[in-house]
Amino acid sequence: MPPIGRRSVLQSAARCTAISITNYFDEVVDQLGRAGISVDSVAIDLSPAEPMRGQLTTGLGPVLRWREDLGWTSGARSAGPAAHPGEVARLLA
């Protein structure tokens, strides 16, 4: 568990690597778990020709989508591409 106040692994969308994105998604899944939200599936597309993207499906059905260039969305709410995992978890609150 990262210390409170620590910046997320993904500092800037301009410097994304497959490893940093995977670590960032791990942080987001951990944060969702601490918030009592179970994650049923994680899908990450790391194709170099397009903006990298990912999707988290929760146990209750809501989906969080992420794009390297646009950030996170839950449908009605959004956050930046390098948003802190706590901010991402609040998209489902």
Side-chain angles (χ1 to χ4, degrees), residues 1-91:
M1 179 155 109
I4 294 180
R6 181 179 151 210
R7 297 184 72 185
S8 77
V9 169
L10 192 64
Q11 299 297 322
S12 166
R15 292 182 272 177
C16 290
T17 67
I19 293 170
S20 66
I21 290 172
T22 302
N23 290 340
Y24 179 56
F25 268 72
D26 282 345
E27 284 187 6
V28 171
V29 169
D30 287 347
Q31 182 64 41
L32 289 169
R34 286 191 292 278
I37 301 167
S38 65
V39 175
D40 284 353
S41 68
V42 176
I44 304 173
D45 179 1
L46 302 172
S47 302
E50 298 182 28
M52 294 183 209
R53 62 189 76 220
Q55 177 174 297
L56 301 173
T57 305
T58 68
L60 299 175
V63 173
L64 285 170
R65 290 183 174 84
W66 175 85
R67 270 186 50 148
E68 178 181 20
D69 56 342
L70 300 175
W72 290 94
T73 183
S74 65
R77 301 171 75 188
S78 63
H84 186 277
E87 182 181 353
V88 176
R90 286 190 292 275
L91 294 176

